[in-house]
Amino acid sequence: MSDIIKQKIWDIIASNTSAAEAGWLQQKVALAPGAVAPIELMTAFVAASRFLSKKIITTSEAEKAALNLEIPGFSVDGWSLVRLGRVWLLTQLDPSDKEEYVKNIETLFDTAEMNELVALYSALPLLSYPDQWLFRATDAVRSNMGFVFDAIALHNPYPEKHFSELAWNQLVLKTIFNDKPIHLIEGLENRTNEKLAVTLSDFAHERWAAGRSVPAQVWRLTGKYLNSALLADMQHLFDSDQEDDRKAAALACGDASLPAANYLLAKYTDLEKSVKSGALTWADLEH
Amino acid sequence: MCLNHNELAQNPSHFEDSEEANQAPAHRDIAWNDYKDLIKGMRFFDPHIHMVSRTTDDYQAMNQAGIVALIEPAFWVGQPRTGLSTFKDYYSSLVGWERFRSSQFGIKHYCTMGLNSREANNEPLAEQVMEILPLYIYKEGVVGVGEIGFDDQTPAEEKYYRLQLELAKEAKLPVQIHTPHRDKKKGTERSMAIALEHGIDPSWVIVDHNNEETVKSVLDQGFYAAFTIYPFTKMGNERMVKVVEQYGPERIMINSAADWGISDPLAIPKTAALMKMRGIPDETIRLVTYQNAIDAFGQSGQIDVTDFESGYAVDQTEKFHGNSILRGGQQPAPVKDFLVIN
C-alpha cells in the first residue's frame, strides 16, 4: 500500500480529532515504521473505541477526491472517527513479512466484535495481499451480518476487484434480498452478467408468487441480457400499477440490443421518449 | 405475610407467638409473589453472573425482579478446553451474542475478561491465551480483568495471576479476584498481597466470594469485598444480612455468581427482600445491591448508567449479525395478553 493513502487518511483524521485523540494515535505508531510491535498496533485497534470519539467524521470534497484518486471507489463517508482510526492503524502494520502480516490480520478477524469487523471489512481495499482476504470477504456476505454486511457490500471497492462471478452474484442478490440499495455497490455496472440476470428473474418470480415486490432499480442488471423469459418479466413490469416498475421496464428495454425489447418499448410511447431523450435514467429509481 | 420481622417481634399477634412463626422466611422459602412487593421499585446490578449457562427464563425472571444490568466474568465452562479457538469463541460470545441476548430481555450486559485460575494450570494453552487476551480486555463494555486469582494455589496460577494484574494495570481496568473454595483464607490473603506488591490501588480490586472469615481483612486493606449468594457452597443470604448489619454498606457488594451449577440468578433481589424484612435501611440495600458495583467497575470508564438507570429499552425485533433471539416464526414479547399464540 502506498504511503500516499496513509497520509491522505491521516489528513482526514487530523481535521476530525482533538489534540488528545490525534496524540493517542500518533503515540501508537510513534516509533519508526516496522519498529512497533504488531501486538501494540493490534491492541490499539481494539482499544480505539476507548480513546477516540464515535462521532461521524466530515470530509471535504477535495479529500474525497484525493482518496478516490488513490483507490477508485474507496470512500470514508459516514464513518465514525473510531472506524477511520482503526482502518488507519491497520495501514500501519508492516506487510514485509507476509506470513506474520496475514496471521495478525486473521487474529484480528477471529477476535473481533461487530464494530471491529466493520473496520476490518472497510479496510480490505487497503490491505496488502488482497487475495488472502477472499474467504473472509465472501463469508461476510454469506453470514448475513447487519452492519458488517454493509461494510463489505456497500461503498467498498474490494468485491468488484477480487470476487469470483459466483461470489459477486451472491453479494448482489443478498443486497437485494436484504432490501438494501444496490446502487451503493461499487462496480455494479461493470460486473453485470448473464447468470445474475437470469437468477434475478427467478428471484423476482418467487417474490411475486409470495405477493411481495422487487425494488424497481434491480432490473438495471438485466438490460443487456434480455431473453424471452426476461422479456415476459418486462411485460409484467409494464403492466404493473407501480410507476417505478414501468420506468424500470422502459430503461431495461432501452439498454437492450434485443430487437424484441425495442419493439416492446415502442408500445409505450411516453416512456420510450423519456428513455431515449435521457430524461429518465436509472438514477431516478435509486431510492 | 410478615413484612418487618423486627416490628413483629416487638409486637407479636396472637397467631404468631411461637418462635418458629416469628422467623423470617429463609432464602429458599420465599417465592416471587411473597417478596416482590418488598423490592418494588428497587433496581439491582449483579456484578457476577455467568449468563452463558443460563436460560431465557432466567433473563425474564431477572428483569421482572428489577435487575437492570450485570457483569459476566470470563470463567471455566465446566470441562477442559482443547484449544485456543474455544477461548476465542467464548470470549467473543461474552462481548457478542450473550450481550445481545441480554439486551433482548431488558438487561444491560458487561463482562470482565481473563484467564481463569483453574485454566492457568494448562500452561501451553495458557501461554496462547495470554497472547490474545489484550485484544479482548480493551473491547467496549469490558469493565475489568477477571475473574482471576487462585484455585489450587499452584505456581502456574500465581504466574498468570501476576501477568494479568500487569495487564489490568496497563489497561487501567479494575481487577475481579476469584478466591479459592479450599483454603480460602490463605488464598484471599495471598491474592491481596500480590495485588499490592504489583502496586495496584486496592480500591480498583474487587475480591470475590468472601465469607465471615475473610471480610474484615479485605475491607481493612481497602479492597472491595464481594459476596456470592450461592446455595450450599458460598454465602447464604441470611448470613449476608448479618454481614451487612455488622460491617455496613461501604465497599461491600452482593452477587449471584449463578452458573451451570445449582445456583440462583435471583439471589440479589431475594437478599434485598430479606434485608428489607430485617429492617436494613433502603439506602444500605441500594449500595450493596447496585451502587457499589457501579462505583467499583465504573472505574473502567465503560459503564454509563444512563443506559439502564431508568430501565432498559427492549426491542426484540432487533438483530445481532442478522440473527434474532426469536426462533422461526416467534413473535416478539410481550405475547402474554393474547389468546392465540402464533
Side-chain angles (χ1 to χ4, degrees):
Chain A
M1 177 201 347
S2 77
D3 286 341
I4 304 170
I5 190 82
K6 291 185 205 172
Q7 183 57 45
K8 292 196 187 311
I9 293 176
W10 177 258
D11 291 344
I12 298 173
I13 289 175
S15 59
N16 280 280
T17 41
S18 66
E21 289 169 324
W24 180 79
L25 279 167
Q26 279 172 326
Q27 179 211 331
K28 293 292 157 189
V29 296
L31 304 168
V36 188
I39 189 67
E40 296 292 327
L41 285 170
M42 292 158 74
T43 307
F45 172 87
V46 177
S49 65
R50 297 189 175 219
F51 297 94
L52 303 177
S53 147
K54 293 188 178 75
K55 70 171 187 196
I56 302 300
I57 54 159
T58 54
T59 42
S60 68
E61 290 306 317
E63 285 169 331
K64 285 179 196 174
L67 278 186
N68 203 54
L69 190 68
E70 280 305 303
I71 299 181
F74 182 71
S75 156
V76 300
D77 281 3
W79 288 19
S80 69
L81 182 61
V82 175
R83 183 172 170 186
L84 185 66
R86 280 183 169 144
V87 169
W88 182 76
L89 285 164
L90 290 175
T91 67
Q92 304 298 315
L93 275 171
D94 178 6
S96 54
D97 180 341
K98 180 179 175 185
E99 200 181 320
E100 175 77 15
Y101 179 82
V102 170
K103 185 180 141 231
N104 288 335
I105 301 276
E106 289 287 352
T107 300
L108 285 176
F109 268 112
D110 275 349
T111 58
E113 51 83 82
M114 197 164 62
N115 293 313
E116 293 164 35
L117 282 176
V118 167
L120 282 160
Y121 287 115
S122 308
L124 288 187
L126 307 178
L127 297 183
S128 301
Y129 315 110
D131 290 346
Q132 294 290 319
W133 322 118
L134 256 176
F135 170 75
R136 294 282 181 188
T138 50
D139 210 38
V141 174
R142 192 176 302 122
S143 61
N144 198 11
M145 298 180 170
F147 292 116
V148 176
F149 176 86
D150 290 358
I152 188 68
L154 311 180
H155 294 302
N156 191 330
Y158 180 91
E160 182 198 0
K161 276 181 89 171
H162 302 285
F163 273 24
S164 67
E165 186 175 279
L166 185 67
W168 173 263
N169 289 354
Q170 272 304 322
L171 180 144
V172 176
L173 277 172
K174 199 81 176 259
T175 307
I176 300 168
F177 187 79
N178 289 342
D179 283 328
K180 296 189 189 243
I182 56 167
H183 64 275
L184 303 182
I185 300 174
E186 286 298 325
L188 185 70
E189 309 288 340
N190 298 336
R191 292 206 56 179
T192 57
N193 60 78
E194 190 174 2
K195 271 191 194 148
L196 181 58
V198 170
T199 310
L200 182 58
S201 172
D202 286 346
F203 172 74
H205 284 260
E206 271 179 46
R207 284 266 175 129
W208 291 337
R212 302 191 180 106
S213 61
V214 177
Q217 70 150 321
V218 307
W219 298 104
R220 71 199 299 169
L221 304 170
T222 61
K224 285 186 230 164
Y225 311 99
L226 289 188
N227 55 22
S228 57
L230 275 158
L231 214 53
D233 293 342
M234 294 302 116
Q235 186 63 65
H236 182 93
L237 292 173
F238 276 123
D239 294 340
S240 165
D241 55 8
Q242 298 294 315
E243 196 187 346
D244 277 1
D245 282 347
R246 296 194 294 274
K247 286 178 178 172
L251 285 161
C253 289
D255 288 343
S257 50
L258 190 73
N262 297 329
Y263 296 139
L264 183 60
L265 177 57
K267 288 191 199 166
Y268 303 90
T269 329
D270 288 350
L271 283 168
E272 185 189 30
K273 213 165 118 187
S274 306
V275 170
K276 295 215 160 147
S277 68
L280 176 64
T281 67
W282 286 112
D284 294 311
L285 299 180
E286 291 173 358
H287 307 307
Chain B
M1 119 137 222
C2 76
L3 292 184
N4 186 325
H5 177 68
N6 293 336
E7 196 180 316
L8 276 173
Q10 286 154 19
N11 187 19
S13 78
H14 296 296
F15 306 106
E16 293 169 328
D17 54 357
S18 74
E19 186 55 32
E20 200 177 327
N22 282 339
Q23 291 288 325
H27 172 217
R28 52 196 165 273
D29 296 334
I30 49 176
W32 169 242
N33 282 331
D34 296 329
Y35 73 87
K36 69 177 176 189
D37 287 341
L38 289 169
I39 58 166
K40 203 171 181 178
M42 290 187 190
R43 50 175 181 240
F44 304 109
F45 188 113
D46 191 340
H48 187 147
I49 184 165
H50 301 290
M51 294 314 296
V52 73
S53 308
R54 310 298 313 190
T55 65
T56 294
D57 284 1
D58 292 335
Y59 271 126
Q60 287 178 330
M62 288 162 71
N63 175 258
Q64 270 187 8
I67 295 173
V68 293
L70 59 83
I71 296 171
E72 176 154 10
F75 86 135
W76 187 55
V77 292
Q79 66 177 31
R81 291 184 233 240
T82 55
L84 185 62
S85 290
T86 57
F87 274 99
K88 285 195 272 194
D89 291 341
Y90 173 62
Y91 292 151
S92 294
S93 76
L94 295 184
V95 290
W97 175 254
E98 202 53 55
R99 182 179 291 175
F100 171 74
R101 191 167 78 108
S102 182
S103 77
Q104 297 297 281
F105 297 101
I107 299 174
K108 178 80 182 170
H109 183 287
Y110 303 96
C111 65
T112 59
M113 287 286 178
L115 172 69
N116 196 269
S117 49
R118 185 187 282 258
E119 297 177 302
N121 292 306
N122 179 348
E123 283 202 63
L125 190 50
E127 279 302 314
Q128 295 175 50
V129 174
M130 289 305 296
E131 269 183 47
I132 58 156
L133 206 48
L135 300 180
Y136 286 101
I137 63 170
Y138 286 100
K139 288 196 197 302
E140 276 180 60
V142 176
V143 297
V145 173
E147 49 182 309
I148 60 171
F150 288 111
D151 183 50
D152 272 356
Q153 306 189 44
T154 64
E157 288 174 14
E158 180 171 336
K159 174 182 167 187
Y160 292 104
Y161 173 52
R162 286 179 184 275
L163 285 170
Q164 292 186 90
L165 288 176
E166 284 301 309
L167 262 185
K169 220 163 79 174
E170 197 180 326
K172 295 195 175 59
L173 283 174
V175 177
Q176 186 176 30
I177 294 180
H178 164 90
T179 53
H181 301 260
R182 301 169 298 281
D183 202 3
K184 183 181 279 287
K185 213 165 156 182
K186 192 173 125 210
T188 305
E189 289 302 331
R190 199 168 151 201
S191 303
M192 290 192 292
I194 292 173
L196 293 174
E197 192 188 314
H198 281 258
I200 294 179
D201 182 335
S203 69
W204 281 66
V205 180
I206 299 91
V207 179
D208 217 335
H209 315 315
N210 278 283
N211 59 24
E212 293 87 345
E213 296 283 295
T214 58
V215 55
K216 186 168 187 312
S217 174
V218 170
L219 291 174
D220 285 350
Q221 294 186 63
F223 292 85
Y224 273 94
F227 291 83
T228 297
I229 311 300
Y230 195 109
F232 315 123
T233 63
K234 297 186 176 89
M235 281 300 282
N237 59 359
E238 293 186 295
R239 285 160 58 202
M240 188 67 228
V241 175
K242 291 196 179 106
V243 168
V244 172
E245 281 170 348
Q246 185 177 348
Y247 292 94
E250 198 190 342
R251 279 181 288 116
I252 282 182
M253 67 179 81
I254 300 172
N255 62 54
S256 71
D259 54 15
W260 36 255
I262 299 168
S263 45
D264 190 344
L266 299 183
I268 294 179
K270 286 178 181 175
T271 306
L274 205 55
M275 287 195 283
K276 181 87 179 170
M277 286 182 210
R278 298 284 164 84
I280 289 185
D282 284 3
E283 178 59 9
T284 298
I285 299 174
R286 192 184 77 85
L287 289 169
V288 300
T289 60
Y290 183 75
Q291 191 62 47
N292 289 349
I294 295 170
D295 291 347
F297 288 100
Q299 296 178 102
S300 63
Q302 293 295 299
I303 296 180
D304 180 355
V305 292
T306 57
D307 285 342
F308 56 79
E309 68 180 359
S310 310
Y312 187 84
V314 181
D315 178 1
Q316 289 198 343
T317 59
E318 279 181 359
K319 291 183 176 174
F320 176 77
H321 286 201
N323 295 313
S324 152
I325 55 153
L326 305 171
R327 298 296 88 196
Q330 282 184 351
Q331 294 299 305
V335 293
K336 294 187 186 116
D337 297 340
F338 300 102
L339 173 65
V340 178
I341 300 166
N342 290 311

